[in-house]
Amino acid sequence: MPVTDVLMFIKQYRPPQYNSVTARVMPQPLLQVEDLTLQFCSSSPAAIEGVSFSLNPGEAIGLLGESGAGKTTLARALLGLYTPACRVVKGSVRFRGGEILHANERELQMIRGAQISLINQEPELALNPAISIGEQVAEVIRAHSAGKRRFCREEARTALASAGLGDSWIYSAYPHQLSGGQRQRAAIAQALACKPALLVADEPTRALDNVIQAEILDLLKQWRDRFQLALVFITHNPALLSGLADRVAVLHAGRIVEEGAFEQIYWRPRHSFTKKLLDAIPPLREETSRALTNQQPPLLEVRNLCKTYTRGGWRASTRSHVVALDNIHLKIPFCTTLALVGKSGSGKSTLGRCLARLEPSDSGEILWEGKNLLKLSRSELTPVRRRIQLIFQHSATAMNPLLTAAEVVEEPLRVRGGTSKKERRQRALAAMEQVGLSSQWANRKPLQFSGGQKQRLAIARALILKPDLLILDEALTGLDPSTQAQIADLLRTLQASFSLSYLFISHDLRMAAHLANTIAVMQDGRIAECRSVAELFSSSKQETLDLIRSIPQVAKSLCAPTDYNE
């Protein structure tokens, strides 16, 4: 059945609101992928090889796999989104009986957003920086409905509220005015605005704190029940699939190596790679004690640091002030790791940028080895910048897409000067190997890497100057558990070898407890408390308790697995 006939069927029988009754009586699966094989160039291995699965209305499948396994490539293929370098070797992707791979651009435009929606792994690349958030959501609704502009705006406000962005100022805000988690929720609202039949969610909760994660997962479950929404949910965290996915497929090197019910995959994995993936998840609490070095002066100390943003139009009457940092006090001793956790929008990333002097502070002190960085001139600040490196929350936006991977990594050396081209190249290749990226990929462009691989590329670039303080803003968020464990071990090794200090900013309290000596909890621009890992889990403060209780866990009903046939 050609896609043109499918579109005529949809236009004739499907009302603007998704009709779940129509979906239930369809004789064929909603989505059917058969023997799909994709390749980026003839000399390289297939990015996707022989992948087959089907999906019915209201059904959810979870895709697990390490970074670079081909999950994002597969997700984009379901919507007919290919880069010029990507080639379909063989296979089929059929949506409601129509072939997606052979559809023309006009046919695909009518399907994308209205029938199949994609939540991108990196919202910064999906949101237009020159258009307000509300108008971007309304634009999707306007493209697939005959509603007037006012109707589209009201629907956009409803979609934003459903994703946890109900504040009135959000609609007129621009992407750069939102936190990373808020941008992620805006991308989710944009994807669900037209009530699609199939949602492809590529790491949709990667930039969200555990509390918002739980709210978004509940939202997706409600949409499944209400609209028979079919879901392809890509994640590195198996616990997120508990109670959400009917089936789980494990992707390794472009192939599905294991597929089954969540209980079977989680408790009785058959493939060695699946076992390795699950074994890499760190425990909730770190039992080993890590002594603090409080006897010596701190490497960096923050006193009374404040930062306020002004938002609104050019008129004074429409402006409002947002307190991002409110009287922050913090100490980071030598050769230790301080974790900074908190909900999205609590000020964590703002604090990281202020400490790296990429963001001006309104008042307070940032003492580096006793010197106030806020009082230093530009020439005095230059040598300090090398010693403080920041890994941004979304690495893709911090890389020049025209440079090769090796050029991205060696860029700090080129800016600093004093090294030859040959030496820069050698150090860049060594840094790539150090974080688990093959030096054979040195000539690839950043957009040819997966989200997790771009994250490792950012870590290599930050480490190449051998800093004293490394600020990791969600640096492990886009990585699978096994790669997280590798990078965590690497960070510990580097810390011991070079006496590094880390400020580890994260939504993942589990990984924070695994890495840090001390954890500081941020709430509404303030440090609610700062304690050792063991003391934090016995805290009675509500902010901390909310974070601990919201850590994704496998449902208790699944904790007594039955025997599965081998």
Side-chain angles (χ1 to χ4, degrees):
M1 186 177 182
V3 172
T4 306
D5 294 342
V6 175
L7 294 174
M8 291 299 295
F9 173 83
I10 294 169
K11 185 176 180 180
Q12 185 174 359
Y13 292 103
R14 181 178 181 263
Q17 298 287 328
Y18 181 77
N19 190 337
S20 58
V21 177
T22 304
R24 293 192 189 100
V25 298
M26 291 182 65
Q28 71 274 346
L30 181 70
L31 176 72
Q32 193 161 12
V33 181
E34 295 180 354
D35 198 23
L36 182 63
T37 301
L38 303 176
Q39 195 172 26
F40 282 104
C41 63
S42 57
S43 60
S44 64
I48 295 293
E49 186 174 1
V51 169
S52 299
F53 66 92
S54 62
L55 204 60
N56 295 316
E59 190 178 11
I61 184 171
L63 290 181
L64 282 176
E66 61 186 350
S67 300
K71 303 185 300 297
T72 298
T73 301
L74 176 58
R76 296 178 65 84
L78 300 183
L79 286 87
L81 295 170
Y82 308 107
T83 61
C86 187
R87 180 172 67 92
V88 180
V89 178
K90 62 178 180 178
S92 171
V93 177
R94 302 182 70 83
F95 175 72
R96 285 183 164 161
E99 181 57 63
I100 293 291
L101 299 182
H102 301 149
N104 59 47
E105 191 61 28
R106 179 180 174 275
E107 293 170 334
L108 290 174
Q109 285 177 358
M110 295 180 67
I111 291 177
R112 293 170 185 158
Q115 297 294 306
I116 308 177
S117 282
L118 171 67
I119 300 175
N120 282 287
Q121 189 176 25
E122 291 155 336
E124 281 81 359
L125 301 182
L127 296 174
N128 190 327
I131 302 176
S132 68
I133 292 296
E135 286 302 314
Q136 292 192 57
V137 178
E139 187 178 40
V140 176
I141 301 171
R142 195 177 303 120
H144 297 287
S145 72
K148 295 182 179 180
R149 185 176 296 272
R150 183 175 179 179
F151 167 81
C152 295
R153 287 179 174 175
E154 290 302 318
E155 288 293 302
R157 293 183 190 276
T158 302
L160 288 169
S162 298
L165 297 174
D167 293 341
S168 58
W169 67 272
I170 294 285
Y171 188 96
S172 57
Y174 290 86
H176 73 274
Q177 295 175 307
L178 304 183
S179 70
Q182 289 170 328
R183 285 192 291 267
Q184 191 78 26
R185 281 180 276 169
I188 293 171
Q190 192 178 40
L192 294 176
C194 288
K195 302 178 176 63
L198 171 63
L199 177 65
V200 182
D202 188 4
E203 294 282 356
T205 60
R206 62 172 293 189
L208 304 179
D209 61 82
N210 293 332
V211 177
I212 301 299
Q213 269 189 0
E215 293 176 2
I216 293 299
L217 293 176
D218 287 341
L219 173 65
L220 293 178
K221 292 174 186 176
Q222 291 171 15
W223 279 63
R224 279 189 63 193
D225 297 338
R226 184 178 176 187
F227 300 108
Q228 284 291 290
L229 174 71
L231 180 64
V232 177
F233 194 95
I234 299 172
T235 183
H236 290 121
N237 188 351
L240 296 180
L241 300 176
S242 175
L244 177 67
D246 301 298
R247 291 176 290 130
V248 176
V250 181
L251 208 63
H252 176 54
R255 285 180 168 271
I256 293 181
V257 297
E258 187 169 2
E259 183 177 359
F262 173 82
E263 296 90 331
Q264 182 262 307
I265 297 294
Y266 193 85
W267 297 108
R268 297 287 188 270
R270 299 187 180 99
H271 198 275
S272 59
F273 173 75
T274 310
K275 296 176 183 178
K276 175 186 174 183
L277 201 64
L278 297 174
D279 290 342
I281 301 174
L284 180 59
R285 303 191 188 195
E286 182 66 27
E287 299 299 335
T288 58
S289 60
R290 295 181 290 274
L292 293 174
T293 56
N294 288 329
Q295 292 79 9
Q296 53 186 329
L299 176 68
L300 184 140
E301 183 176 0
V302 180
R303 298 177 183 173
N304 304 307
L305 194 67
C306 297
K307 174 66 179 177
T308 301
Y309 290 108
T310 301
R311 65 182 179 217
W314 57 272
R315 296 179 179 176
S317 59
T318 62
R319 295 176 188 167
S320 61
H321 300 284
V322 179
V323 178
L325 301 177
D326 186 6
N327 202 31
I328 297 292
H329 290 264
L330 210 59
K331 290 183 181 181
I332 303 178
F334 285 90
C335 197
T336 60
T337 301
L338 171 66
L340 193 64
V341 300
K343 297 181 180 180
S344 301
S346 61
K348 304 185 301 298
S349 295
T350 300
L351 178 57
R353 291 194 300 269
C354 287
L355 298 185
R357 298 293 286 121
L358 298 178
E359 191 89 35
S361 306
D362 296 337
S363 61
E365 293 179 310
I366 301 176
L367 301 178
W368 176 264
E369 295 181 340
K371 297 180 180 179
N372 186 2
L373 299 185
L374 302 183
K375 301 295 185 182
L376 297 183
S377 65
R378 185 173 181 177
S379 59
E380 293 172 327
L381 191 60
T382 298
V384 179
R385 287 189 182 278
R386 180 195 66 80
R387 302 176 62 189
I388 304 176
Q389 292 294 306
L390 170 65
I391 298 176
F392 290 92
Q393 187 173 19
H394 294 287
S395 54
T397 60
M399 299 178 190
N400 188 334
L402 301 179
L403 300 181
T404 64
E407 289 171 342
V408 166
V409 176
E410 69 183 44
E411 188 176 19
L413 293 174
R414 188 169 62 252
V415 172
R416 190 188 67 173
T419 53
S420 66
K421 184 176 180 179
K422 181 179 179 180
E423 182 183 354
R424 290 198 303 266
R425 184 75 173 191
Q426 290 175 343
R427 289 178 62 175
L429 296 180
M432 289 179 64
E433 292 284 355
Q434 201 172 33
V435 298
L437 292 175
S438 172
S439 58
Q440 297 178 356
W441 300 344
N443 293 323
R444 285 189 184 183
K445 298 295 176 65
L447 293 178
Q448 293 178 291
F449 289 89
S450 70
Q453 289 170 334
K454 284 197 282 282
Q455 206 73 356
R456 279 182 274 179
L457 201 62
I459 293 174
R461 181 174 63 177
L463 292 176
I464 200 167
L465 288 178
K466 299 179 181 179
D468 296 314
L469 173 62
L470 190 59
I471 302 173
L472 303 108
D473 190 0
E474 299 286 356
L476 305 184
T477 299
L479 306 178
D480 59 88
S482 59
T483 306
Q484 278 189 343
Q486 294 171 15
I487 296 297
D489 290 341
L490 171 65
L491 292 174
R492 284 181 170 175
T493 301
L494 292 171
Q495 187 175 58
S497 301
F498 302 106
S499 299
L500 289 173
S501 296
Y502 299 134
L503 176 61
F504 184 74
I505 301 173
S506 179
H507 291 118
D508 189 350
L509 189 57
R510 187 192 300 268
M511 183 55 69
H514 183 65
L515 271 177
N517 306 93
T518 307
I519 297 180
V521 180
M522 283 199 74
Q523 175 75 15
D524 297 329
R526 287 178 169 268
I527 301 293
E529 61 178 326
C530 185
R531 298 187 178 192
S532 68
V533 175
E535 292 173 341
L536 190 81
F537 280 95
S538 61
S539 172
S540 59
K541 290 211 170 187
Q542 190 61 44
E543 297 85 353
T544 306
L545 292 175
D546 288 343
L547 290 175
I548 294 174
R549 291 167 182 166
S550 63
I551 295 175
Q553 301 286 337
V554 176
K556 293 182 179 179
S557 60
L558 303 179
C559 289
T562 56
D563 292 331
Y564 293 91
N565 295 325
E566 298 294 333

